[in-house]
Amino acid sequence: MMITSALRAFSHRRFFLFIVGHGVSLCGSWMQSMAHAWLVYRLTGSPFLLGFVEFLARSPILLFGVIGGAIADRWPRRRLLLVTHTLLALQALLLGVLTLSGRITIEWILGLAVFMGLVSVIEMPARQAFLTDLVPRSDIPSAIGLNSSMFNAARVIGPSAAGLVVATAGEGVCFVVNAVSYLVIIGCVLAIRMPTRRRSEPMGTTRLLKEGLAYAWSTPHVRSILRLATLLSLAALPFTTLLPVFAVDILDGGPGTFGILMGGTGVGALTAALYLARRASAEGLDGTIGRSVICFACGLLALAASPTMWLSVGALFLVGFGMVSSLAAANTLLQSLAPDAMRGRVVSLYVTVSLGMTIFGSLLAGTGATYMGAPLTVALGGCVTLFAAATYYASLPAIRRHIEEHRLFAPEELRAS
């Protein structure tokens, strides 16, 4: 019964097509992510530049993420995905060609990171909202859980494969593989036919933005989740920026060690995603979010104190489980309760704070690791994460009152009555 409940979104052909293509693309993306970080550290040996590259890649999301959400609500999402995935494939291909030819420089890396960030401003909210367009509202928890499962299965497969490829053939091959993987998802999206929807009178972008911000500010669960995601983005999520430092300077390893560390995070994340996918509804996720953030914090503190690789892998399992169970549960709750016409903007606000704010977190992590060391920097992040959990728990009573008063877990026709 649990497996059937978790997999029910697969009964929708369009969702199945999309998730298969997206899964292949994600493996390529994780290969590029690992190889990209390793290339930066190999070329520069600078923890600060590791953070700075992340800063440039995420800053467009922070600056323009809400606009990307408005675009995802205004224009056909399928068409947006075809355009953005093509551009991301070209970015990966250029990065691969430059690296394999020996002409890659830190300046090229920085410029291509900015380009990827600009494309992601539209791609991320369009993809997240398109995913839930493919299933009925009752199957949104299953769809998001399965998408998260695929994301985190790729988090295990991609870095592990990248560690082997980087050690034997170099980073450039990983970038070319990622470019090829985008062709798979482009083909799957082309095979999906969406029904023609009658659109309401189009609104200007400014009005769309104001409406989305007003909804977020006036809705307790949206406001609390965005505040929580902001704190996690600043203090907790940038731990990934420092994993090359842990692999080389703390554990005396190489690209294989880095791949194992990322794989440990991925196994924990995949476990959390499968756990969430089995849920029959979004009801009860408000409490899951708080417990998961505490798990995230404990994993970070354990990683900071770990002197060996296998203890670090165990700590990263907790980190991955807590990170994904909190962020995916928050995403599921937001999308399950958001009006259909508002979903792109709600997703963009969430992406803006959960990914865009990491630009400051990555800079803080890189600077902190330079002057205090990576372990102490991660430990401080764990302490701030515990504080974030406390602030979220303080807001739970208001969230639950709002959900009950507006019958947000009731069927759509009952809400409107």
Side-chain angles (χ1 to χ4, degrees), residues 31-392:
M31 287 186 71
Q32 173 161 320
S33 178
M34 183 272 181
H36 195 260
W38 189 259
L39 177 63
V40 172
Y41 201 56
R42 178 175 66 82
L43 290 177
T44 67
S46 168
F48 174 77
L49 281 175
L50 279 172
F52 188 62
V53 171
E54 285 294 310
F55 173 87
L56 291 179
R58 304 297 188 193
S59 55
I61 299 173
L62 177 64
L63 295 174
F64 309 115
V66 181
I67 297 175
I71 292 172
D73 278 339
R74 185 171 186 179
W75 298 99
R77 292 162 185 163
R78 177 178 176 271
R79 191 179 305 167
L80 290 174
L81 288 178
L82 290 173
V83 173
T84 53
H85 286 156
T86 300
L87 292 174
L88 290 172
L90 292 174
Q91 185 264 359
L93 182 62
L94 179 56
L95 190 58
V97 169
L98 289 171
T99 304
L100 289 172
S101 65
R103 288 181 288 179
I104 193 67
T105 63
I106 190 62
E107 290 79 14
W108 269 111
I109 292 173
L110 296 175
L112 288 172
V114 173
F115 177 80
M116 182 176 69
L118 289 170
V119 177
S120 297
V121 165
I122 298 174
E123 190 273 340
M124 286 183 176
R127 169 169 43 83
Q128 292 277 1
F130 183 70
L131 180 80
T132 53
D133 287 342
L134 304 176
V135 298
R137 182 180 288 272
S138 60
D139 285 342
I140 286 178
S142 173
I144 294 178
L146 287 170
N147 178 62
S148 186
S149 300
M150 192 69 70
F151 180 87
N152 291 293
R155 187 198 291 266
V156 178
I157 297 168
S160 300
L164 295 174
V165 172
V166 169
T168 57
E171 302 92 348
V173 175
C174 293
F175 304 143
V176 174
V177 169
N178 185 37
V180 173
S181 75
Y182 276 112
L183 299 180
V184 178
I185 190 171
I186 289 171
C188 289
V189 173
L190 284 171
I192 293 173
R193 291 291 177 264
M194 298 297 293
T196 302
R197 296 177 186 247
R198 187 172 60 187
R199 292 184 172 271
S200 57
E201 183 181 348
M203 291 190 290
T205 302
T206 301
R207 185 177 168 189
L208 284 168
L209 294 176
K210 287 181 178 178
E211 186 182 69
L213 291 172
Y215 171 80
W217 180 254
S218 63
T219 310
H221 69 271
V222 179
R223 189 170 62 243
S224 297
I225 286 173
L226 293 180
R227 181 175 61 239
L228 174 67
T230 299
L231 289 173
L232 294 182
S233 299
L234 289 172
L237 295 179
F239 81 92
T240 57
T241 303
L242 300 180
L243 285 185
V245 183
F246 276 89
V248 175
D249 298 340
I250 307 299
L251 303 176
D252 297 321
T257 303
F258 182 30
I260 291 172
L261 292 179
M262 291 189 71
T265 309
V267 171
L270 176 60
T271 303
L274 291 172
Y275 168 75
L276 290 174
R278 70 178 177 82
R279 299 183 64 93
S281 75
E283 196 165 359
L285 285 178
D286 48 359
T288 299
I289 294 169
R291 293 189 296 272
S292 301
V293 174
I294 293 175
C295 177
F296 194 177
C298 292
L300 290 174
L301 293 172
L303 174 64
S306 172
T308 67
M309 184 179 73
W310 295 113
L311 286 175
S312 298
V313 170
L316 285 168
F317 176 89
L318 289 178
V319 167
F321 186 91
M323 174 180 65
V324 167
S325 55
S326 58
L327 295 178
N331 186 21
T332 302
L333 191 66
L334 289 176
Q335 294 210 51
S336 296
L337 303 184
D340 290 339
M342 190 75 66
R343 193 173 293 134
R345 280 163 286 174
V346 171
V347 169
S348 71
L349 285 169
Y350 183 63
V351 168
T352 296
V353 297
S354 62
L355 291 180
M357 290 299 292
T358 58
I359 66 172
F360 300 113
S362 295
L363 278 181
L364 289 171
T367 303
T370 300
Y371 294 102
M372 299 186 298
L376 181 55
T377 302
V378 169
L380 289 174
C383 293
V384 175
T385 304
L386 286 175
F387 171 77
T391 61
Y392 177 78

